[in-house]
Amino acid sequence: MAARRPHGMSERFRRRALSAGLVAATVLTTAVALWLGLRLYDQRADEQRRQDILAAARQSALNFTSLDYRHYDRDSANVLKGATGDFKKEFAAQTAELTRLVARNKSVSEGQVLDAGIVRSDDRSARVLVVADSKVTNTAVPRGEARTYRLQLDLVHRGGRWLTSDVEFVG
């Protein structure tokens, strides 16, 4: 005759198995929730970085295409505030000559950014293409003339800000 287990032992075994299963399910659910939370955080951080890069590039292009001889010191300072590296050095070096040139020609350029897109980016650098229009008036064209610019801006992340390190006219 087969030995029978006492009724209480079988019940204890089922309870332990159920408890172990609940613990395993809780650990698994917590791990999945953490993993999904981290992925969502990373996605949000990436999207915020993209938005920060685009905002900096748009502002830099707007500053670069909006210059007025009546307050050129302020306008050129705006360009320099968003600049770094060789671009900042070159623009600063040309400021005195540009100030005389725009004053002599009574140049006013009113820029407008039409579109911008990131070509490549990482945590420290980015390349952005920007399309901007500008209405330019000066002594040679007093009624104004429309100009369209296609700019390639290289940006670097420094001191918590995205700064323009290079500007090229493309296309």
Side-chain angles (χ1 to χ4, degrees), residues 81-101:
K81 273 190 264 181
T84 191
D86 289 340
F87 173 64
K88 185 173 188 172
K89 288 175 192 168
E90 291 168 12
F91 192 87
Q94 296 174 3
T95 298
E97 178 60 30
L98 288 172
T99 301
R100 286 190 292 277
L101 183 65

Side-chain angles (χ1 to χ4, degrees), residues 11-29:
E11 186 64 31
R12 258 187 275 147
F13 178 74
R14 275 189 267 151
R15 284 186 185 161
R16 283 186 184 163
L18 180 61
S19 292
L22 288 174
V23 168
T26 301
V27 168
L28 181 61
T29 302

Side-chain angles (χ1 to χ4, degrees), residues 3 20 47 58 110 139 155:
E47 182 56 30
R58 285 176 172 274
E110 299 170 19
T139 54
L155 292 94

Side-chain angles (χ1 to χ4, degrees), residues 1 16 19-20 52 74 86 88 93 126 150 156 160 170:
M1 207 162 187
R16 283 186 184 163
S19 292
D52 292 346
R74 181 195 70 195
D86 289 340
K88 185 173 188 172
R150 287 170 185 81
V156 294
V170 294

Side-chain angles (χ1 to χ4, degrees), residues 64-132:
F64 193 67
T65 59
S66 299
L67 301 167
D68 187 325
Y69 77 96
R70 294 168 291 202
H71 38 79
Y72 188 77
D73 288 343
R74 181 195 70 195
D75 293 347
S76 62
N78 286 337
V79 171
L80 291 170
K81 273 190 264 181
T84 191
D86 289 340
F87 173 64
K88 185 173 188 172
K89 288 175 192 168
E90 291 168 12
F91 192 87
Q94 296 174 3
T95 298
E97 178 60 30
L98 288 172
T99 301
R100 286 190 292 277
L101 183 65
V102 297
R104 184 174 54 234
N105 292 317
K106 296 188 184 251
S107 295
V108 176
S109 175
E110 299 170 19
Q112 175 185 1
V113 174
L114 303 177
D115 203 3
I118 297 173
V119 175
R120 63 167 175 72
S121 71
D122 58 35
D123 291 340
R124 295 180 315 271
S125 66
R127 175 166 287 166
V128 180
L129 296 179
V130 178
V131 178

